[in-house]
Amino acid sequence: MKIRTLKRHFVEAFKSMGRNGWMSFASISAVTVTLLLVSVFLAILLNINYIASQIEDDVQIRAYIERTEKPERYDAYKQELEKLGKVKTVEYQSKEEGLDELIESLGDEGEAFSSLKNENPLRDAFIIYTEKPQDTAAVAKEVEKFKFVNKVEYGKGTVEKLFKVTDVARNVGIVLVLGLVFTAMFLISNTIKLTIVTRRREIEIMKLVGATNGFIRWPFFIEGFALGVAGAILPIVVITVGYQAIFDIVNQKLGTVFIELLPVTPLIPQLALLMILIGGVIGVWGSLTSVRKFLKI
């Protein structure tokens, strides 16, 4: 295709958007509303997955060592635990370190336990992380079989429920986002189709005077893409400003205590690129499928 012809297609596409201002506005509005919903739910889904991964990564098995065991045997015991299937890492924690961790986790209230340092009631322990958090219960059962282990703790019951909740949250989120994407495709493409239908007479005349199908399609291809991308701009601005504000509030007040959200970068640039891509593709698809009907005369 010659540069002059391509330039003509771009000029005609933008002139057409101007001549059909209200229909163009309706198409852009449809893209804006639906992509805003998609971007919001996608940001929520990605953060649910991120938070769930954080929680799962914190799941650990604590194997408390019998008091009668000699410290010089601990390295051998650690190696035995590391040989278990599905075990990722094994860390040794002395009872002194365990007490310090307890005091620190309780904050100001933990000072009350400082008096226990002279007569520490805790046991030395091995902290075990599995390759997959879902393997925690199975590995814990294997750890219990060792004679040097007094007790195993991993949040039995709670951990299983946690994995079920995170799996449900992820699956529901994926279904919602996919549903919104398909709804967006339907609404946007149909709105753009209405824009094209109002110009069927123009298409028929071009066809009758000898214009090729490709020559007719190109301006509509460009127009559909432009409408889709234009409709993605406002959702990108809203999600950027809104997510930055929410990120600052949540991470400043809750980040160190409960949860931490996905960093603004690269999340927002990736969402922005995805919204432009979805808007552009759906815009082109809606335009070309509509034009096709009027090329068969």
Side-chain angles (χ1 to χ4, degrees), residues 1-256:
M1 184 185 294
K2 294 181 180 180
I3 295 177
R4 183 184 299 176
T5 305
L6 185 61
K7 182 180 178 181
R8 179 262 173 199
H9 291 328
F10 272 95
V11 171
E12 285 300 314
F14 286 100
K15 277 185 179 179
S16 176
M17 289 173 64
R19 284 196 304 267
N20 301 277
W22 282 110
M23 291 305 296
S24 296
F25 176 76
S27 298
I28 292 172
S29 298
V31 176
T32 298
V33 172
T34 49
L35 288 189
L36 181 59
L37 289 173
V38 170
S39 61
V40 168
F41 274 88
L42 192 55
I44 292 172
L45 171 61
L46 291 172
N47 274 286
I48 287 174
N49 187 65
Y50 182 67
I51 293 168
S53 297
Q54 290 180 58
I55 294 172
E56 289 174 349
D57 289 342
D58 286 338
V59 174
Q60 57 184 229
I61 301 168
R62 285 181 177 265
Y64 293 98
I65 305 170
E66 290 282 5
R67 296 187 191 279
T68 54
E69 296 294 335
K70 297 179 179 180
E72 53 264 29
R73 293 287 302 159
Y74 287 0
D75 284 340
Y77 297 153
K78 183 173 180 287
Q79 290 175 11
E80 288 183 47
L81 292 172
E82 288 173 338
K83 290 178 182 178
L84 289 175
K86 301 178 182 179
V87 169
K88 184 179 180 181
T89 58
V90 179
E91 300 174 1
Y92 168 71
Q93 185 182 69
S94 67
K95 60 183 181 181
E96 291 78 17
E97 292 171 338
L99 183 59
D100 289 339
E101 183 182 273
L102 175 65
I103 293 171
E104 185 178 350
S105 66
L106 294 174
D108 294 336
E109 296 178 0
E111 293 300 321
F113 293 91
S114 297
S115 59
L116 297 175
K117 288 186 176 182
N118 294 328
E119 296 182 6
N120 193 335
L122 302 183
R123 296 174 184 268
D124 296 328
F126 289 112
I127 301 174
I128 305 160
Y129 294 92
T130 57
E131 293 178 352
K132 295 180 181 178
Q134 290 76 9
D135 295 330
T136 302
V139 173
K141 289 181 180 179
E142 293 298 316
V143 173
E144 287 176 340
K145 297 176 182 179
F146 288 97
K147 293 182 179 180
F148 61 83
V149 174
N150 173 267
K151 183 174 63 172
V152 172
E153 289 183 354
Y154 68 95
K156 186 176 181 180
T158 304
V159 167
E160 288 84 354
K161 290 177 182 177
L162 171 66
F163 293 147
K164 287 181 181 179
V165 170
T166 54
D167 287 342
V168 169
R170 283 168 172 155
N171 293 333
V172 169
I174 291 171
V175 171
L176 283 175
V177 170
L178 288 176
L180 278 171
V181 168
F182 282 111
T183 301
M185 291 176 66
F186 176 78
L187 291 176
I188 294 170
S189 63
N190 277 302
T191 305
I192 292 175
K193 284 177 184 179
L194 289 175
T195 304
I196 306 302
V197 167
T198 60
R199 295 155 59 190
R200 61 185 179 276
R201 183 66 178 166
E202 175 188 339
I203 298 171
E204 291 170 356
I205 292 173
M206 291 175 68
K207 185 68 175 174
L208 288 171
V209 297
T212 64
N213 289 348
F215 188 85
I216 296 171
R217 284 193 186 103
W218 263 100
F220 290 100
F221 175 92
I222 296 168
E223 184 176 344
F225 183 79
L227 291 172
V229 172
I233 292 174
L234 185 58
I236 291 172
V237 173
V238 172
I239 197 69
T240 299
V241 175
Y243 188 79
Q244 181 68 66
I246 294 171
F247 178 85
D248 291 340
I249 292 171
V250 172
N251 279 16
Q252 285 177 9
K253 295 186 177 180
L254 302 175
T256 56

